Amino acid sequence: MTDYSELERRLTALIHGVPHFIANLANASALLFDTLEDINWAGFYHMEQGRLVLGPFQGKPACIEIPLNKGVCGAAASRGETVLVKNVHEFPGHIACDSASNSEIVIPIRKKGDVVGVLDIDSPSIGRFTEDDKEGLERFVKALERELFE
């Protein structure tokens, strides 16, 4: 089980006071990829002209653009809420950037209340992500938002 409080602490130690947005997201994705078990992709998409555009990540090459309301990332960005999918093959409109991914969690990132991107994490295991992961990763994103935007 992941110690999300420790993960949050490590994130803050890595990026606190660092004024480089892309570098901070790169370190955040590397931290997640290095720390979380049984994942095959961890990274960010940012909003650009009404689409999600690939940002810093760890894992195999990924989809470059994702329309809103398409796939798990587009659903999370459009709804403004975390989407946890136990089996991506059962998710309507799932976008298979990596055929090895079987479960996914996507958390919106906000700046002044507006969704400006998402954190996307994939796993090769069906049912990998739990409600504990959801709560812990939402806290991780809140810490990221504080460091990046406040």
Side-chain angles (χ1 to χ4, degrees):
M1 179 181 246
T2 303
D3 182 345
Y4 283 103
S5 294
E6 175 64 13
L7 191 60
E8 244 182 282
R9 187 197 64 72
R10 290 177 60 198
L11 172 69
T12 301
L14 267 176
I15 69 173
H16 180 72
V18 177
H20 305 291
F21 183 77
I22 298 296
N24 286 334
L25 292 181
N27 269 338
S29 63
L31 177 63
L32 289 166
F33 197 76
D34 186 54
T35 304
L36 298 177
E37 295 179 10
D38 194 27
I39 66 168
N40 59 336
W41 202 90
F44 298 93
Y45 282 88
H46 67 275
M47 292 292 291
E48 191 174 298
Q49 299 176 344
R51 298 170 99 44
L52 290 167
V53 177
L54 182 64
F57 70 93
Q58 298 283 309
K60 290 183 180 179
C63 301
I64 294 171
E65 290 186 340
I66 299 175
L68 294 182
N69 292 313
K70 299 290 182 187
V72 181
C73 289
S78 297
R79 297 176 193 167
E81 62 187 37
T82 299
V83 178
L84 186 159
V85 180
K86 302 268 184 200
N87 182 345
V88 295
H89 308 290
E90 296 175 354
F91 188 86
H94 173 251
I95 300 169
C97 295
D98 179 356
S99 61
S101 294
N102 287 307
S103 61
E104 185 171 5
I105 187 167
V106 180
I107 301 97
I109 300 168
R110 290 183 175 76
K111 179 179 182 181
K112 297 180 181 177
D114 295 326
V115 174
V116 295
V118 297
L119 166 61
D120 179 21
I121 305 174
D122 296 353
S123 171
S125 298
I126 290 176
R128 158 61 179 90
F129 302 105
T130 65
E131 285 299 313
D132 286 341
D133 293 310
K134 178 180 179 285
E135 291 170 15
L137 290 167
E138 286 174 342
R139 288 194 320 268
F140 182 90
V141 166
K142 290 287 183 211
L144 186 65
E145 291 168 344
R146 280 192 305 273
E147 295 298 328
L148 295 176
F149 306 128
E150 291 181 8

